[in-house]
């Protein structure tokens, strides 16, 4: 490890580190625009200049200079100060300097660094260059005159997202960053370039001019749009969440989130249930809470009550529902609302055991029935890293446009019964073989056959577990930990013909099968579940309550409450607690703290943030065979849940990006 000196501080740095990284290890702030920890080094902006000896008597770009033994680095010399002022002066030659009206104002790297490292005045009086705006779709607003050509957006699209959509055209003063053919940027992670842009060239189109950053209350949350559990920050003003941004968590989402996680936020205020509704003579009418509870009590369900949990429900809500049904003598609980009925006796068999960070180190990967790019964009990013390191990828299922290559083996699960010799050879010889079973394959009962293959290839070995199930719902693993599952899936509930069915935000259920049951919908949007309900009790969305979530890798994470629910809507647990009183039973909790304490007592793993331990994989049945044509469950990435379906932004993305609908701009 090289030893060097930074501003008089002696330190050792890892082999291969750059001078910029060495300076940061010494606690020195180095300004930069083009450098980013998760992207390749470009060396474009020259803002990170430092003085290095031995070396030429001139400032050098620290981002592209390797740290070496015996270097003496100065970050605060007169030469460095003058050089940085000169670079900043050059960067601002063509910048429009429209900070007061720029929607990046208050959180702009250029603004901050010009104050900290700039001269305070310019010696240039030439006319500024103007660049025509580029259309990058419904999510990204462009003001390309502000662009300083750092190429962060270009490198993100190529290296992280794997979609070569953004690049530079022309040369010298005429250089422009644009999408090729000036079409909308179309991939599931496109809006991350907004966070990466260090100036106001790429900003959020839906959020433009909504608020300034100092007006917003910032709350730590967990994304519920898929099963990855991305760490997010909810920025709210008053009772409205105005935007969602990613938080850094190297184990889960690094610092990226999908476009759906970011932009379904406007759906939180649209099509909301903010009043109680009762169905009278086939028509829903507004009612009071008291009327609703009396109507439910008149059903006198006794033990003939069932509960179905939706895809975005927190663990506390599911535990409260389980306590209520348990007090009534019922065990009819189910969270797999679309009808899956796989074995849940051993959760290790339905968990993403490799972890997201671990999948990057896999060297042979078999993906069965998963369109990873739309089902789990954050996992797709990790798979690209694995392929860059030399991993071979094989896929079973209908072909789709991957961003990491791979060989498609067939659409039918029967392929697993007799895989090609080169696939068997690659998986058997791999040091870290990995199997990923997606939602489409799980629904067809592919887990036993995948387990058998896993034993053959020894995917579980010292320090490695390569067997993975990739779920689609944020509530799935938490529900399974709480026992929210039947041996026969939702079919067991249908067969039981319950008098009363509690629907906890479950909008994908076929309610026609519960025609003889009174359906009580406890949810936050007027979506499919509300249309089928006899009684609607308005509840809180994920941003309006604290809760515990478990992602598909079994990682327990907790989210905070950002805003209050609208109108008469209440937090789910309070509704279930009041329902217990109406039905005359005791659930042994009167506050959220008591509820969480009881839940943790019942399932201790839910009280510790981090990966839950599900034990060892079950023994595979040697006779396990798979069959059936795989169908991917997600048909429209932008409209997979009631919040997204209520979002005007997601509706436009679906119409424009997936279905080719044209939208005229205001001037047209």
């Amino acid at each position: 490890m090289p030893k060097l000196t930074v501003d008089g501080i002696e330190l050792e740095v890892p082999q291969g580190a750059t001078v910029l990284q060495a300076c940061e290890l010494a606690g020195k702030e180095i300004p930069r625009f083009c450098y980013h920890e998760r992207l390749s080094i470009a060396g474009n902006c020259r803002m990170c200049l430092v003085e290095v000896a031995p070396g030429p008597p001139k400032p050098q770009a620290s981002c592209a200079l390797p740290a070496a033994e015996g270097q003496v680095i100065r970050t605060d010399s007169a030469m460095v100060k003058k050089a940085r002022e000169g670079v900043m002066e050059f960067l601002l030659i063509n910048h429009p300097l429209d900070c007061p009206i720029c929607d990046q104002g208050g959180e702009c790297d250029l603004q901050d660094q010009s104050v900290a490292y700039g001269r305070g005045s310019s010696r240039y009086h030439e006319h500024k260059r103007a660049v025509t705006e580029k259309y990058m779709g419904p999510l990204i607003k462009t003001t390309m005159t502000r662009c300083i050509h750092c190429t962060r957006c270009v490198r993100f699209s190529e290296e992280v997202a794997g979609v070569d959509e953004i690049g530079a055209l022309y040369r010298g003063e005429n250089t422009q960053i644009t999408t090729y053919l000036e079409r909308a940027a179309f991939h599931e992670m496109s809006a991350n370039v907004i966070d990466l842009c260090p100036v106001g060239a790429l900003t959020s189109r839906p959020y433009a001019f909504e608020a300034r950053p100092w007006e917003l209350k910032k709350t730590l949350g967990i994304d519920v749009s898929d099963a990855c559990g991305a760490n997010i920050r909810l920025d709210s003003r008053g009772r409205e969440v105005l935007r969602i941004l990613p938080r850094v968590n190297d184990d889960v989402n690094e610092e990226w989130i999908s476009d759906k996680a970011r932009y379904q936020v406007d759906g939180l205020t649209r099509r909301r249930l903010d009043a109680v509704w009762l169905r009278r003579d086939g028509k829903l009418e507004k009612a009071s809470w008291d009327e609703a509870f009396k109507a439910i009590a008149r059903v006198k369900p006794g033990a003939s009550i069932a509960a179905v949990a939706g895809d975005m429900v927190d663990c506390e809500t599911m535990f409260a529902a389980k306590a209520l049904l348990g007090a009534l003598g019922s065990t009819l609980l189910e969270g797999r609302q679309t009808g899956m009925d796989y074995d849940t006796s051993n959760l290790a068999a339905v968990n993403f055991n490799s972890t997201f960070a671990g999948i990057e180190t896999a060297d042979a990967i078999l993906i069965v029935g998963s369109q990873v790019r739309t089902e789990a964009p954050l996992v797709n990013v990790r798979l690209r890293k694995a392929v860059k390191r030399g991993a071979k990828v094989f896929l079973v299922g209908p072909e789709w446009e991957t961003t990491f290559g791979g060989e498609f083996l067939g659409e039918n699960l029967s392929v697993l019964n007799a895989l090609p010799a080169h696939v068997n050879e690659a998986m058997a010889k791999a040091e870290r073989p990995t199997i990923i079973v997606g939602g489409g394959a799980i629904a067809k009962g592919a887990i036993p056959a995948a387990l058998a293959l896993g034993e053959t290839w020894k995917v579980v070995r010292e320090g490695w577990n390569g067997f993975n199930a990739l779920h689609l719902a944020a509530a799935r693993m938490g529900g399974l930990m709480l026992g929210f599952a039947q041996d026969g899936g939702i079919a067991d509930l249908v067969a039981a013909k319950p008098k009363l069915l509690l629907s906890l935000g479950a909008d994908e259920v076929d309610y026609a099968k519960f025609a003889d049951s009174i359906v009580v919908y406890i949810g936050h949007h007027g979506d499919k579940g509300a249309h089928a309900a006899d009684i609607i009790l308005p509840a809180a969305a994920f941003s309006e309550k604290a809760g515990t979530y478990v992602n598909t890798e079994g990682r327990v994470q907790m989210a905070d409450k950002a805003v209050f629910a609208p109108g008469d809507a209440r937090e789910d647990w309070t509704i279930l607690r009041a329902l217990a009183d109406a039905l005359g039973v005791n659930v042994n909790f009167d506050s959220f703290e008591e509820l969480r304490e009881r839940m943790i007592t019942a399932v201790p793993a839910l009280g510790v943030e981090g990966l839950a331990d599900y034990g060892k994989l079950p023994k595979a049945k040697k006779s396990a065979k798979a069959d059936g044509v795989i169908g991917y469950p997600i048909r429209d990435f932008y409209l997979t849940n009631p919040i997204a379906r209520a979002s005007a932004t997601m509706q436009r993305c679906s119409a424009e990006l997936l279905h080719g609908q044209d939208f005229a701009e205001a001037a047209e």
Side-chain angles (χ1 to χ4, degrees):
M1 294 173 65
K3 292 182 181 178
L4 44 79
T5 303
V6 179
D7 291 344
I9 302 169
E10 293 185 1
L11 72 156
E12 267 188 304
V13 298
Q15 193 68 41
T18 63
V19 169
L20 186 150
Q21 291 167 329
C23 293
E24 290 191 330
L25 286 172
K28 302 296 180 180
E29 180 184 354
I30 303 296
R32 84 291 299 265
F33 293 114
C34 67
Y35 176 80
H36 191 277
E37 294 80 356
R38 302 185 196 278
L39 303 176
S40 62
I41 294 169
N44 290 342
C45 71
R46 319 308 287 180
M47 193 65 206
C48 62
L49 295 174
V50 296
E51 190 176 344
V52 182
K58 65 176 184 178
Q60 299 187 63
S62 60
C63 69
L65 184 65
E69 183 73 29
Q71 283 177 331
V72 178
I73 301 164
R74 294 284 306 278
T75 69
D76 56 359
S77 67
M79 179 195 291
V80 170
K81 183 175 184 295
K82 184 177 180 181
R84 288 176 180 170
E85 287 178 353
V87 169
M88 180 59 71
E89 195 172 4
F90 276 122
L91 288 173
L92 295 178
I93 289 173
N94 285 314
H95 197 79
L97 306 181
D98 54 354
C99 299
I101 61 163
C102 175
D103 40 333
Q104 186 95 333
E107 48 192 0
C108 172
D109 291 348
L110 184 64
Q111 194 177 48
D112 295 340
Q113 292 182 41
S114 64
V115 171
Y117 302 102
R119 293 183 67 249
S121 61
S122 174
R123 290 169 289 181
Y124 289 89
H125 303 288
E126 286 78 14
H127 293 297
K128 289 181 179 286
R129 182 183 78 139
V131 181
T132 55
E133 307 312 335
K134 316 298 179 189
Y135 183 68
M136 291 193 182
L139 303 179
I140 303 169
K141 176 175 176 281
T142 66
T143 310
M144 300 312 290
T145 299
R146 299 171 185 157
C147 179
I148 61 170
H149 307 144
C150 70
T151 68
R152 279 187 181 183
C153 55
V154 178
R155 284 174 285 147
F156 172 83
S157 296
E158 292 178 356
E159 298 165 13
V160 179
V163 181
D164 295 338
E165 287 195 330
I166 303 177
L169 297 179
Y170 315 122
R171 300 178 67 188
E173 189 186 12
N174 296 319
T175 302
Q176 298 182 22
I177 301 293
T178 179
T179 53
Y180 297 115
L181 305 180
E182 294 204 22
R183 62 189 180 90
F186 174 40
H187 58 84
E188 299 72 27
M189 307 280 287
S190 66
N192 286 288
V193 299
I194 294 166
D195 298 333
L196 289 172
C197 184
V199 297
L202 304 178
T203 53
S204 172
R205 186 180 288 269
Y207 174 71
F209 308 114
E210 287 290 324
R212 288 299 194 188
W214 54 84
E215 301 175 330
L216 304 174
K217 184 184 79 170
K218 300 165 179 62
T219 308
L220 307 185
I222 301 297
D223 172 42
V224 297
S225 66
D226 58 29
C228 294
N231 288 210
I232 57 175
R233 191 185 87 195
L234 296 94
D235 288 357
S236 57
R237 184 177 60 191
R239 300 186 67 164
E240 183 178 355
V241 178
L242 293 178
R243 68 173 176 180
I244 291 176
L245 296 176
R247 286 187 287 134
V248 177
N249 186 327
D250 287 334
D251 293 326
V252 184
N253 58 304
E254 300 178 284
E255 58 185 89
W256 322 122
I257 53 173
S258 71
D259 291 350
K260 181 167 52 180
R262 186 186 298 264
Y263 283 120
Q264 67 177 8
V265 62
D266 65 318
L268 290 169
T269 57
R270 291 172 168 81
R271 289 170 56 181
R272 286 300 301 268
L273 297 173
D274 58 359
V276 178
W277 296 82
L278 283 178
R279 193 175 294 277
R280 297 187 177 107
D281 299 325
K283 184 180 179 181
L284 285 170
E285 298 177 358
K286 276 190 179 181
S288 67
W289 282 100
D290 189 49
E291 288 175 313
F293 287 136
K294 284 179 179 176
I296 294 169
R298 283 196 295 271
V299 178
K300 296 180 181 179
S304 184
I305 181 173
V308 182
D311 290 347
M312 300 187 291
V313 182
D314 57 292
C315 292
E316 284 82 359
T317 297
M318 288 186 279
F319 183 80
K322 184 177 181 180
L324 173 61
L325 266 66
L328 290 164
S330 172
T331 58
L332 295 173
L333 305 164
E334 185 53 69
R336 299 164 295 179
Q337 52 176 328
T338 55
M340 294 184 182
D341 60 352
Y342 48 84
D343 181 15
T344 60
S345 59
N346 186 325
L347 296 188
V350 290
N351 185 51
F352 202 93
N353 297 292
S354 297
T355 73
F356 297 160
I359 200 74
E360 294 178 13
T361 63
D363 50 358
I365 305 168
L366 176 67
I367 301 174
V368 185
S370 179
Q371 195 171 7
V372 188
R373 191 170 158 185
T374 54
E375 294 172 13
L378 298 173
V379 176
N380 195 69
V381 168
R382 305 281 190 169
L383 291 173
R384 277 186 50 76
K385 287 189 179 183
V387 170
K388 283 183 179 179
R389 292 176 177 173
K392 295 179 180 178
V393 180
F394 307 100
L395 302 98
V396 177
E399 292 193 20
W400 51 280
E401 188 179 347
T402 73
T403 59
F404 49 76
E407 178 186 350
F408 282 89
L409 305 176
E411 297 186 9
N412 198 300
L413 282 171
S414 60
V415 172
L416 298 179
N417 305 329
L419 286 165
H422 71 282
V423 177
N424 273 311
E425 183 181 0
M427 297 297 292
K429 287 184 177 180
E431 291 183 13
R432 292 198 160 197
T434 300
I435 299 173
I436 299 176
V437 186
I442 293 173
K444 294 287 186 179
I447 287 179
L451 283 169
L453 285 173
E455 279 194 6
T456 303
W457 296 328
K458 297 180 181 176
V459 297
V460 180
R461 52 188 71 179
E462 187 177 352
W464 179 250
N465 185 337
F467 189 85
N468 303 298
L470 185 57
H471 295 291
L472 309 179
R476 184 70 74 245
M477 288 306 294
L480 296 180
M481 290 173 74
L482 289 165
F484 237 83
Q486 299 290 311
D487 289 341
I490 205 165
D492 284 4
L493 271 59
V494 174
K497 295 185 178 179
K499 287 184 181 178
L500 192 68
L501 176 69
L502 292 182
S503 172
L504 307 174
D507 290 282
E508 318 304 329
V509 175
D510 182 2
Y511 287 101
K513 295 178 179 177
F514 294 96
D516 298 328
S517 304
I518 299 295
V519 178
V520 178
Y521 181 76
I522 303 174
H524 41 79
H525 275 79
D527 207 76
K528 301 170 187 175
H531 286 284
D534 299 295
I535 300 169
I536 297 174
L537 305 179
F542 75 97
S543 57
E544 297 154 3
K545 57 186 174 182
T548 303
Y549 300 91
V550 186
N551 74 354
T552 189
E553 57 176 354
R555 188 179 301 276
V556 179
Q557 303 183 106
M558 295 177 184
D560 296 329
K561 177 178 179 175
V563 294
F564 287 95
D568 280 343
R570 299 289 182 267
E571 293 182 34
D572 309 58
W573 75 268
T574 63
I575 297 172
L576 293 162
R577 175 63 186 83
L579 198 51
D581 286 344
L583 294 172
V585 292
N586 184 16
V587 289
N588 297 319
F589 63 83
D590 295 311
S591 67
F592 182 78
E593 289 71 25
E594 288 180 14
L595 168 61
R596 180 171 274 179
E597 187 178 335
R598 281 205 61 209
M599 179 185 75
I600 293 170
T601 302
V603 186
L606 291 175
V608 183
E609 288 197 276
L611 292 172
D613 184 2
Y614 297 135
K616 296 181 179 179
L617 282 177
K619 289 289 183 183
K621 298 176 182 176
K622 298 299 180 184
S623 60
K625 299 290 183 184
D627 193 22
V629 176
I630 294 169
Y632 298 127
I634 294 181
R635 297 184 183 278
D636 191 324
F637 168 75
Y638 298 104
L639 304 176
T640 57
N641 63 64
I643 298 175
R645 288 191 284 266
S647 162
T649 304
M650 291 292 95
Q651 291 281 357
R652 173 160 177 175
C653 284
S654 173
E656 181 174 348
L657 302 179
L658 293 184
H659 303 293
Q661 186 174 335
D662 288 329
F663 285 84
E665 295 298 307
E668 299 174 325

